[in-house]
Amino acid sequence: MSTPTLTVHEAAIAQNTRTLASATSGAVMAVLKANAFGHGIRPELVLANGASSLGVTSIDEALALRAQGVRAPLLSWLNPVDADYRAAILADVQLAVPSLAHLEAIAQAAQAERRRARVHLHIDVGLARDGASRDEWSPLCTIAATAERRGLLDVVGVMGHLSSADRPGDRENRVETLVFGNAVRTAWRRGLTPRVRHLAATAATLTAPATHFDLSRIGAGLYGIDPSGRTALRGAMTLTAPVVSVRRVRPGTGVGYGHSHVTDRATTLALLPVGYADGVPRSATERALVQIGGRRHRVVGAVSMDQIVVDVGDATVRPGDSATLFGPGDGGEPTVHDWAAWSGTIAHDIVTGIGQRVLRRVASLEEASA
Ligand SMILES: *Cc1c(COP(=O)(O)O)cnc(C)c1O
């Protein structure tokens, strides 16, 4: 490939979706937020492999899916109170409700459109982030029940999100699961009939059956990331870049801005045209490895905005050779998990950070089975 290229492997996403769907007796909502965690997939791919609904963060993301012709049930869970709830209701986008102010805004939009909004009340079980506080929960249920009786909305679900599911043994998971169960009971006592209770994301789906309830919202797992590290899923991205040039240098040569690296021997440096603007973390320098010609070589000197330098030693590397920064790992190439470790972050941060100018191609299901 003559330009930096991100290849998305549909077969891996299909397989991961099936793995997650078989890990729960509940339904699977495929989380396609942030351009499907940077993968930009066809929604049909997950819907054909075990997911029955889709989840995104913002109404804009949901409307973009509807504009593509997606008909599946679709939930948007994070919006400001002045978001375009009328457009969401018209497009049959279900909405999470994290506060009384949101409930009021959604009810008003429903009244204006003369259409019932389908909502999921969101309880904060312990993240202190999104969702209604425990104090606000009971009034939220009461007022939602009133709005339901007035024909403005249907409370179809109750949702929560765990703080510590990536640590399966942590007792916080049990505490938060109890908080969620209590919140659901309160909803029923206030006269609501939420049929879809959902708490688990990827990690809890793979490790904690008590959190499964009726549905799991699965993001990371579709893309090969198990935050709990317990289950081997398949990485779904390969990032390659062509070698632009190579130069032979003497021992003691300073490399890149500030000469943060100085060669300790005569060696060959290969230049790759990708940098932090393309999602190569600047903090990975001196630790990161890339694969060229079947061998791993170290990234040296500061990661620049547009380029990195690789010390290939005495290996024969030529301009035009292809370097693999990461892939699923079965050819010995580094993975997004390696890059996360090298840069002190999580794999989610790597996959969602690939820049706009990287060429994107899809390795389709058909290609993989050919
Ligand atoms: C992103 C997100 C998910 C998906 O979590 P994963 O760990 O990626 O499966 C589920 N629920 C909410 C509220 C989210 O924001």
Side-chain angles (χ1 to χ4, degrees):
M1 220 66 67
S2 63
T3 186
T5 302
L6 183 74
T7 303
V8 172
H9 307 288
E10 287 198 332
I13 293 169
Q15 182 184 324
N16 292 334
T17 308
R18 291 193 297 268
T19 300
L20 269 303
S22 66
T24 173
S25 57
V28 168
M29 171 182 286
V31 176
L32 302 187
K33 65 188 180 187
N35 194 28
F37 286 49
H39 292 68
I41 64 164
R42 303 180 286 124
E44 305 76 47
L45 182 62
V46 285
L47 292 169
N49 284 282
S52 53
S53 62
L54 305 175
V56 292
T57 304
S58 70
I59 289 174
D60 282 346
E61 290 175 304
L63 295 178
L65 287 169
R66 284 285 184 253
Q68 284 176 40
V70 172
R71 298 244 178 83
L74 179 51
L75 171 66
S76 159
W77 58 68
L78 180 59
N79 294 288
V81 281
D82 63 349
D84 194 350
Y85 291 118
R86 293 177 66 164
I89 292 165
L90 274 181
D92 199 17
V93 173
Q94 301 181 25
L95 296 161
V97 179
S99 78
L100 286 165
H102 287 82
L103 184 70
E104 191 170 327
I106 292 167
Q108 271 177 16
Q111 190 152 38
E113 291 299 337
R114 298 174 187 286
R115 258 174 93 154
R116 297 171 84 100
R118 290 160 68 78
V119 305
H120 298 240
L121 301 186
H122 186 176
I123 173 81
D124 171 25
V125 295
L127 270 170
R129 203 181 64 169
D130 195 10
S133 68
R134 274 170 252 179
D135 292 345
E136 201 178 14
W137 185 251
S138 179
L140 184 65
C141 291
T142 303
I143 294 171
T146 306
E148 200 170 60
R149 282 193 298 274
R150 289 176 56 209
L152 297 175
L153 48 85
D154 291 313
V155 176
V156 296
V158 170
M159 68 181 280
H161 194 49
L162 295 165
S163 70
S164 308
D166 59 336
R167 297 194 304 268
D170 196 315
R171 76 178 277 282
E172 184 63 21
N173 292 307
R174 259 175 296 139
V175 172
E176 293 181 8
T177 304
L178 287 174
V179 170
F180 183 73
N182 287 335
V184 171
R185 276 188 290 281
T186 300
W188 281 87
R189 263 190 247 113
R190 298 291 172 275
L192 298 168
T193 53
R195 302 288 170 190
V196 190
R197 301 162 298 167
H198 45 119
L199 178 63
T202 297
T205 300
L206 292 171
T207 63
T211 65
H212 288 183
F213 296 96
D214 306 305
L215 175 144
S216 290
R217 301 181 307 273
I218 306 287
L222 305 177
Y223 314 108
I225 302 166
D226 170 12
S228 73
R230 298 281 180 98
T231 303
L233 299 165
R234 264 191 84 66
M237 277 185 171
T238 297
L239 178 63
T240 60
V243 173
V244 168
S245 60
V246 292
R247 77 180 63 227
R248 192 69 191 170
V249 298
R250 289 196 294 259
T253 302
V255 181
Y257 289 127
H259 286 180
S260 60
H261 180 85
V262 178
T263 58
D264 59 1
R265 64 201 190 306
T267 190
T268 298
L269 302 178
L271 177 66
L272 304 181
V274 283
Y276 57 78
D278 307 294
V280 178
R282 195 165 176 282
S283 52
T285 185
E286 299 295 323
R287 285 185 289 276
L289 303 170
V290 304
Q291 190 185 47
I292 307 176
R295 287 175 58 187
R296 289 180 169 208
H297 302 286
R298 192 166 302 280
V299 176
V300 295
V303 172
S304 302
M305 186 184 294
D306 316 302
Q307 42 196 309
I308 55 176
V309 173
V310 180
D311 184 340
V312 300
D314 295 327
T316 308
V317 172
R318 295 192 183 80
D321 285 356
S322 178
T324 302
L325 285 88
F326 58 73
D330 28 40
E333 76 280 15
T335 65
V336 291
H337 301 286
D338 293 323
W339 278 91
W342 292 329
S343 56
T345 186
I346 54 176
H348 314 54
D349 196 6
I350 305 295
V351 296
T352 56
I354 304 303
Q356 289 295 325
R357 67 184 168 182
V358 174
L359 179 75
R360 284 162 184 273
R361 64 176 280 280
V362 174
S364 66
L365 277 179
E366 296 71 32
E367 226 172 287
S369 57

